Amino acid sequence: MRIVGLSGNVKAPSRTAALTSALLDEARRDLVAETRHISLVEAAPVLFRALRAEQLDDEGLEIIEAIERADALIVSSPVYRASYTGALKHLFDLVDYRALTGVPVILAATGGRALHGLMPDQQLRPLMAFFKALPLPTTVYAVESDFVDFAVANDALRERIAEAGAELRTALTKPAASLRRKLSEPTFARRTA
């Protein structure tokens, strides 16, 4: 089982990356799962070498393949101009539109104020709907005051992380999980063949 966390942060250290890490830790609790955290502060320069999927080099293809082959995703972004980062949008422009069908997804975001607390539902949920992924009911939004030294430091946020993680574990272990699309080969191989 593979769980991939995507952080749309374009600077480090990052509260968004810390939130993604906390969600990954919670999601894999009591599961035998391989996890990977892809932070765009490192991945974006690789992905920006290509404007289209067929232009990706081996390093970029490996990143996209990891996402397309994931059994579950955690997608998080700092709020930037009331939405997710352009780097995160570019990443999803490179993902095959069929690759995430039925994949359960935790949606999360960080922002400076509670004002943008609905961003995961209003921005990320429609993006995942396009891919026919299965965004889970509980979204996670955190503000700067929820962190101390870029680590989660708020009990209410910890509870929300635990709730989202439990939903993801349930989605991965119940019979309905068989509805998730299993890929026998990387999606990018079909594009480039």
Side-chain angles (χ1 to χ4, degrees):
M1 190 176 308
R2 294 175 299 262
I3 304 171
V4 174
L6 301 174
S7 297
N9 58 294
V10 292
K11 65 179 185 174
S14 164
R15 290 172 198 78
T16 306
L19 178 59
T20 305
S21 291
L23 284 162
L24 274 170
D25 289 342
E26 184 62 34
R28 73 172 165 228
R29 190 166 54 86
D30 302 325
L31 292 178
V32 177
E34 172 188 329
T35 60
R36 178 167 178 189
H37 186 171
I38 298 171
S39 180
L40 288 183
V41 72
E42 293 138 9
V46 173
L47 299 174
F48 284 158
R49 293 180 207 152
L51 296 177
R52 296 186 317 275
E54 59 271 12
Q55 297 172 329
L56 287 164
D57 60 19
D58 289 343
E59 192 177 4
L61 285 171
E62 191 277 327
I63 293 167
I64 298 302
E65 178 185 344
I67 295 162
E68 292 179 344
R69 299 185 78 201
D71 295 298
L73 292 174
I74 296 165
V75 177
S76 63
S77 178
V79 175
Y80 185 75
R81 300 189 184 198
S83 189
Y84 46 85
T85 60
L88 188 64
K89 173 64 168 88
H90 183 66
L91 178 149
F92 280 108
D93 285 344
L94 300 171
V95 172
D96 187 279
Y97 72 94
R98 300 162 290 194
L100 304 180
T101 300
V103 173
V105 183
I106 293 175
L107 305 175
T110 58
R113 301 182 290 158
L115 177 67
H116 298 292
L118 291 175
M119 188 281 269
D121 284 304
Q122 294 178 341
Q123 301 291 320
L124 293 173
R125 194 171 295 276
L127 178 64
M128 292 300 100
F130 166 79
F131 284 99
K132 297 182 183 173
L134 297 175
L136 298 172
T138 299
T139 59
V140 180
Y141 181 75
V143 295
E144 289 181 24
S145 61
D146 291 328
F147 299 87
V148 172
D149 296 327
F150 296 93
V152 173
N154 177 297
D155 288 338
L157 177 58
R158 286 188 189 102
E159 288 175 19
R160 193 88 173 159
I161 290 168
E163 186 177 345
E167 288 175 2
L168 185 62
R169 290 190 305 275
T170 298
L172 288 170
T173 58
K174 296 297 180 193
S178 64
L179 296 175
R180 291 191 316 276
R181 185 161 189 250
K182 300 293 183 184
L183 300 176
S184 59
E185 61 178 295
T187 304
F188 70 82
R190 290 192 296 277
R191 285 197 299 261
T192 59

